[in-house]
Amino acid sequence: MSVQGDGKGLIGHAGAVLLRKSADQTGLTGALGGAFARLGTSPVWDRGVLLIQLAVAIALGARSMRQIALLSHHEHLFGAPPSDSTIRRALEPIGRDERLQRRIARARARVRRHVWDLIAATETGFPWPRVAGKTLTGWTVIDLDATLITAHSDKEGASATFKKGWGFHPLAAWCANTCECLAMLLREGSAGSNTATDHVRVLTEAIAQIPETFRAKIWIRLDAAGATHNLVDHMQGLTTTRRTVRFTVGWKITGTDEAAIAKLPATAWQAAVRQDGEVHAHAQVAELTHLDERAALWGVRLLVRRVRPSARDAGRLTDLEKKTGWKYAIIATNLGPRGLRGIAGSHQLAFIDAAHRDHAEVEDRVRTNKAMGLRNLPSKTWNVNVGWVLAANLAADLDAWTRLLGLHDDAGLARAEPQTLRYCLWHLPARLISHARRRTLKISATWPWKNAFLTCWQRLSTLPAPT
C-alpha cells in the first residue's frame, strides 16, 4: 500500500453539515446576523455566519481561533473559512458592548422558543426530567454551578482561584431538560463562590432564555455556594400569579444546625430513595425546620440527610458526626407540604432529597462544556475570551438541538457525550459529488451509523422555518 495526498472531492468531518443545517434551519444563523447588524457598516463576513462557523468548529473539537482552519476543506460546502484575525475582530465587541450582548441574548431566546416548540412536536416529546422514579412533566429545571478554567499563560482577568490554581471562575446555568447552557458569566479566578450578585444575574439571564410557554413552573437547584440570604430572598420573590418557582439549595451547617440535629428523635428519620425510586439502604432523611431557628430567619424549610461516612470523610468530620457515626448534609427549600404542582408524592422528604441530589448531574454539563471549547480560553484579551465563551455555548446549543431534533429516538446518540458524537457522526468522512448543478454528499454504505446520519439530515432539512 502507498499513500498519496492528491485526493479530490473528499470531505473530512462531514458531520459539520448536520450542525450547520441545525443552525440554519432553526433560524439561529440569521438571528445572530441581525443582532450584529449596524447601520452604515457592511463587513465582508456576516457576523452571524462567522459565529456559527466558529461554533461548528468548536463542536468538531477546535480549541483555538486558529483551528477553525480545519473547515478549510469544507470550502465547497460553506465557503472559505474566516481567518483567525477576522474571528478575533468579531469576538472582541461582544466582550465590551453590553447592548450587543443583550441583542444576542434576545436573538438566542427567540430561536430557542422556536426550537423548544419543535422538540415538543417530535415523537418522543419534550424531555421532562425524571427524578426518584417520577417524571417532572411541566417543570423546567435550572441548575446553577461554577467551575474553574485553568490559564496556562498570562491572560487578562486570570488570577488565583480558591483551589490554589490560576485562571478563571465562570458561573453558569444549565437546563436539566435539554442539557443546554442558558447563561454563562465569565469571571476572574478570584471571584467568590457565593457571590449573590453574580448568581442573581446569571439566574435572571437563564430565566429570560426559557420560552414563556415553558416558564410557568420552574425548579432551581444550587449547591451550598448559592446559600446566601440575598439570593434566597431573590428566588422567594420570583413566584408570581403566572409563574411558580421552587428551589432547593445546599446549606452550610453551623453549630446552630448541629444542635437542632442532635434534638431529632430516632423516629424522625426515614429511609431515603435512589434516583430510580428504590429505597436507599444506607441513607436517611428528616425534617429539621421546626427545630432549627435559622429556618424561620431565612423563611425556608430545612431537610437533613445522614449517611455513614466514607474513609475519605474521616478527616473532616465534626464532633457531632464523630459522636453519632453519621455524616450530615442539609438542604433549604421553599417546597411546601404540597410539593411540586402536578407531581404526586413530591411533598415527601425522600423525594425532595433525591431531587436535590440529582443536581449532581450538573457536573456532566460542566464536563460537556469544557469539551466544547471551555477547557482553555484561547486569547490573552478579556473581551475576546468573553466572545469565545459565547461561541462555545452556541456550539453546545447546536450539539443539543441536533440530538433533540434529529436523533431524539436513537437511544445511543440522543444523550451522547461530545466525544461519542465526534466518533460516530461529526468526524465521518465523505465524498462530495457535483452533477447537473446539484451537489451530493456521499458517505460510506458500511458506516455503522449511516442510517442515523441520513435520518438526522432528513429531519433537519424538513424543519419548518421560524415565524
Side-chain angles (χ1 to χ4, degrees), residues 167-208:
F168 303 89
H169 191 194
L171 176 67
W174 286 268
C175 178
N177 304 62
T178 59
C179 301
E180 298 165 276
C181 185
L182 300 176
M184 180 173 287
L185 175 64
L186 182 62
R187 306 186 299 170
E188 296 181 352
S190 57
S193 297
N194 54 357
T195 306
T197 303
D198 293 344
H199 279 79
V200 170
R201 175 180 172 179
V202 171
L203 180 58
T204 301
E205 292 177 358
I207 292 177

Side-chain angles (χ1 to χ4, degrees), residues 34-79:
F36 276 91
R38 290 178 298 173
L39 186 63
T41 62
S42 55
V44 175
W45 271 96
D46 180 285
R47 294 308 190 229
V49 174
L50 186 148
L51 263 185
I52 292 302
Q53 286 285 77
L54 179 58
V56 169
I58 291 174
L60 294 178
R63 293 182 293 178
S64 69
M65 290 173 284
R66 185 172 298 176
Q67 288 182 354
I68 197 174
L70 68 87
L71 296 180
S72 60
H73 60 277
H74 286 175
E75 182 172 353
H76 296 296
L77 290 173
F78 309 131

Side-chain angles (χ1 to χ4, degrees), residues 4-56:
Q4 297 180 352
D6 56 356
K8 297 181 180 180
L10 304 177
I11 300 294
H13 303 134
V17 300
L18 299 180
L19 296 164
R20 179 63 188 269
K21 195 69 172 179
S22 179
D24 293 347
Q25 289 292 114
T26 58
L28 180 61
T29 307
L32 291 174
F36 276 91
R38 290 178 298 173
L39 186 63
T41 62
S42 55
V44 175
W45 271 96
D46 180 285
R47 294 308 190 229
V49 174
L50 186 148
L51 263 185
I52 292 302
Q53 286 285 77
L54 179 58
V56 169

